[in-house]
Amino acid sequence: MTDLSNFEITRKWPAQHPERLQLYSLPTPNGVKVSILLEELGWPYEAHLVNFQSNDQLSPAFLSLNPNNKIPAILDPQGPGGQPLALFESGAILWYLAEKSSQFLPTDPAQRYETLQWLMFQMGGVGPMFGQLGFFHKFAGKDYEDKRPRDRYVAESRRLLGVLEQRVQGRAWIMGDLYTVADIAIWPWVRNLFGFYEAGDLVGQADFPEVARVLAAFVARPAVQRGLNIPARP
């Protein structure tokens, strides 16, 4: 039987199935990227809720796996060479799982790098900018009298949506007919911007019909519908 007892995180979140990949997460736009990919792969895995309300992400156990105290993180008992691998950062996890499975990545080397390019576009642009807009529009930032910070992120979010609108024109997915980890990274954030952040009107959602088309196709996937709710909130 696989032994994960050397990993401190398993003392706070015991592995009931240590032979399975262990996911430590929360159903946020970053967190669900990994649960969606795992659902698409159909692999057995064990999901552990990292509860921000009780500051689980700041616990010594979680920090032992991810010193940056962010979700998601994984512990794969069957990593490279058959040895356990601990990994954090959602983009790195997506790429690792896609390469390990040989799925959701193009086989052509040039197209693989193009997919990585769009994954980095989400990590460096879409996620941070949409997240800041969410803060200034829905959360504490909405009470600031000075609306210039909010308007800055509105403008940048519209610009990024425009980039996506142009990219998916005439395409089923970011990379054309092939559904990849770039889609799994990007579309949860678009869904959150229009839905949970309630910023659709603010960014002019109606101006991006191609984005809406691909988002609808993404959300309709059964694996996406499952992954959006993993781990289950208390």
Side-chain angles (χ1 to χ4, degrees):
M1 177 178 288
T2 305
D3 183 8
L4 299 178
S5 61
N6 288 333
F7 291 88
E8 183 180 348
I9 196 164
T10 63
R11 295 164 203 163
K12 184 174 177 65
W13 290 279
Q16 301 300 314
H17 302 278
E19 74 282 2
R20 299 180 182 179
L21 184 143
Q22 306 292 307
L23 169 65
Y24 308 91
S25 191
L26 187 71
T28 67
N30 276 335
V32 299
K33 296 177 196 173
V34 178
S35 54
I36 288 171
L37 178 53
L38 288 168
E39 289 295 317
E40 293 278 11
L41 289 169
W43 287 358
Y45 66 100
E46 193 169 346
H48 304 277
L49 179 73
V50 180
N51 193 336
F52 283 10
Q53 292 183 340
S54 55
N55 289 324
D56 282 351
Q57 76 278 15
L58 301 176
S59 66
F62 188 76
L63 292 172
S64 70
L65 186 62
N66 183 1
N68 195 36
N69 66 269
K70 304 293 183 182
I71 57 94
I74 65 167
L75 178 54
D76 184 1
Q78 299 298 324
Q83 298 301 308
L85 174 68
L87 203 60
F88 64 89
E89 283 296 333
S90 59
I93 296 170
L94 290 184
W95 199 258
Y96 165 70
L97 294 176
E99 287 204 321
K100 180 178 180 177
S101 66
S102 298
Q103 296 186 59
F104 305 108
L105 282 178
T107 56
D108 176 75
Q111 290 188 344
R112 287 170 79 90
Y113 283 116
E114 190 176 350
T115 305
L116 180 61
Q117 161 189 275
W118 286 101
L119 177 60
M120 295 300 102
F121 169 80
Q122 185 279 306
M123 298 292 294
V126 167
M129 296 301 104
F130 288 11
Q132 291 289 351
L133 177 53
F135 172 79
F136 282 102
H137 178 59
K138 181 164 184 174
F139 297 110
K142 70 180 184 298
D143 298 324
Y144 293 3
E145 291 185 10
D146 187 347
K147 297 305 178 187
R148 285 175 296 179
R150 186 205 67 175
D151 292 346
R152 168 184 169 83
Y153 293 115
V154 169
E156 182 62 5
S157 295
R158 276 189 56 84
R159 188 188 72 79
L160 292 167
L161 288 168
V163 173
L164 286 174
E165 180 77 4
Q166 182 178 31
R167 175 63 185 181
V168 297
Q169 186 80 37
R171 290 183 169 93
W173 303 106
I174 292 293
M175 290 301 298
D177 291 336
L178 183 64
Y179 173 75
T180 70
V181 290
D183 296 290
I184 293 172
I186 289 169
W187 301 111
W189 274 103
V190 178
R191 174 180 177 270
N192 215 60
L193 181 71
F194 295 160
F196 181 69
Y197 288 159
E198 301 173 347
D201 289 342
L202 196 62
V203 298
Q205 179 178 351
D207 296 335
F208 307 103
E210 295 299 302
V211 166
R213 171 183 59 81
V214 181
L215 175 61
F218 176 75
V219 174
R221 295 177 69 91
V224 171
Q225 294 174 21
R226 295 192 300 270
L228 287 171
N229 296 300
I230 299 174
R233 292 181 183 270

